[in-house]
Amino acid sequence: MGHPRTHAGPAIAVSDLRMRYGDKDVLTGLDLEIEAGGVTALLGPNGAGKTTTIEILEGFRGRSAGDVSVLGVDPAHGDERWRAQLGVVLQEWRDNGKWKVRDIVTHFAEYYKPYTNPWGADELLDMVGLAEQAGQRVRTLSGGQRRRLDVALGIIGRPALLFLDEPTTGFDPHARREFHELIHRLTDLDGTTILLTTHDLDEAEKLAERILILAGGRIIADGSPDQLARAASTTAEVKWIQDGKLQIHATEDATDFVRKLLATDDGKVTELEIHRASLEDAYLELVAQFEAGEAATAVDAFKEVTR
Amino acid sequence: MSTNTLHEYRTGWKRALIETKVSLTSIGDLMGFIMPTGIAIVVLLFMQNADFEGAPVSLGSMNMPSLIGMNVVFGGIMGMVGALAMDRTNGTLLRAKSMPGGMTGYLVGHLASTAMFIGASAVALLAVGLPLFDGLSFATPDRWMTFLAVLVMGVVATLPIGAVLGAILDNPRNMGLVMLPVMGLVAVSGIFYPITALPGWLQGVGQVFPMYWMGLGMRHALLPDSMAAVEIGGEWRTVTMFAVLAVWAVVSMALAPRLLRRMSRRESGSAVAARRADMQRDW
């Protein structure tokens, strides 16, 4: 369905990417490799460098140092043929507001014709659920409809790689749910590789097969939602009452600890509880510390938890 | 030219047709043109009762062609500057950058639609002006040719000037920096009163810029030849007029691609967001 793969390696390969604005380091040696296919979420608190990273990958922004390859090409030197294989959906697009929805879709498909067989307007609008709005002017669409149009325009050239930057910011729960369903439909359709950024863990867990957490200018955690959840919960807190007193013990092997505890307590231990830190707890902690300006501590603490 | 480049130009042309359709069906766009032009024509109608130093044609009729010339310059410069500034804020330019050949298509489309809009408004002004004002002559083919030549030359000279200014100006907030000087030029270009009434040094300033020459060219096309007596040196200076406009066209065409490429290179999502935040702070 999508573009025929024109290169054999990973869809995205980044090593030691650095970005510095003036004397502020935003990316401090980011390493990343994403295989073709599937949805990857780049998760991180606001200001962690997600947008900078994705703009470098899209070829919209230069970099200070490091090697970057997107679909086998350095984005700084990507030509129009390379550009035709990418889809880009930005945070807030308000372009061409006076155009009719069908006109914009039909016209933008034209640009891809020398390179691929783009979607037909009606077929595409139907897929993103905007068939009824085809005759409307773009600026009369609701926020959620507008973003679905942006997705339609992002995938119009059947991209091999689609970037979604904070796609659901400012959505109500209903619009968000509809949007998530659309993303699921996209991944079912063809082998398009999707990289999305979000600061919302819940969204990342719902949409992505792989989550990369970006903080302090590099990737500090990488895995499936499941793996990350398990990693975050290796340290458990064991609580119990013994001789009328509350006892608390933190351990990495709660099962072993409890087995030994109960084997020697002569029946005095009551109200035993094992509490595992969830990924959400760990992530929220990270965000809180990040926003308090303690980026370094936050990263260390999070790594400690998800090691 | 490769086939892909050709395709980009063709797509740009299609964009121009859609843009024109959109402009013609948007009340706001139409009123933005009709209101100021309508007011100017009404003012000129009142000026029909006045004349300049016994010239054979009233001041109102004298200024009607100048108004057409001014409109071409205004439309060319502000049409490009306004669009490039707005389209950078709302992401149209970034969208173009995200598509293969999108930036070429966008620029070709915008140049073509602005040119069509200028051409259409010049013809509309002519259609309104001829029956309303006494003493205009537009009956012979040589007049039609002069009108067309001046119009085309004006479009060719002012669109790239607009593109250069629009590429330099990176925030709609600063539109006044272009708007005010262009308005100031109207005053020293002999649009609403003959330039010879101004002190010599101001006449000199006026003659540097295309506005004066466009007014002169349109007067040449539409006024009786005896009216040349009112102009500087008592003649239409046709060759000088085309030469000055050509110099502006060549210089700005040489600068425009470089500046537009720089503008395109700097475009990114965060740049758009920053510009928008900046505007919201101000308003």
Side-chain angles (χ1 to χ4, degrees), chain A residues 17 24 42 44 55 73 103 111 115 171 201 208 229 242 262 303:
Chain A
L17 176 60
K24 188 167 173 265
L42 191 58
E55 284 186 351
V73 173
D103 283 348
Y111 289 94
Y115 309 97
F171 276 24
L201 173 67
Q242 192 168 8
L262 294 179
K303 276 181 156 168

Side-chain angles (χ1 to χ4, degrees), chain B residues 9-80:
Chain B
Y9 279 79
R10 247 199 320 265
T11 313
W13 173 245
K14 285 183 189 164
R15 182 180 171 93
L17 295 180
I18 299 176
E19 282 281 2
T20 306
K21 187 182 89 178
V22 165
S23 288
L24 293 178
T25 52
S26 303
I27 307 291
D29 283 23
L30 279 181
M31 290 316 274
F33 167 69
I34 291 171
M35 288 290 286
T37 321
I39 291 170
I41 290 177
V42 170
V43 171
L44 292 192
L45 282 174
F46 282 111
M47 288 164 90
Q48 274 200 302
N49 301 324
D51 57 11
F52 179 74
E53 293 171 3
V57 165
S58 78
L59 203 53
S61 302
M62 226 171 115
N63 291 339
M64 185 61 216
S66 314
L67 183 70
I68 299 180
M70 179 194 86
N71 235 294
V72 172
V73 177
F74 235 87
I77 294 181
M78 295 320 293
M80 289 307 291

Side-chain angles (χ1 to χ4, degrees), chain A residues 1 27 50 110 125 127 172 187 201 204 225 227 266 273:
Chain A
M1 271 292 258
L27 301 175
K50 300 188 298 289
E110 288 284 328
L125 287 175
M127 188 179 87
D172 60 43
T187 50
L201 173 67
Q227 284 168 336
D266 297 328
E273 262 178 56

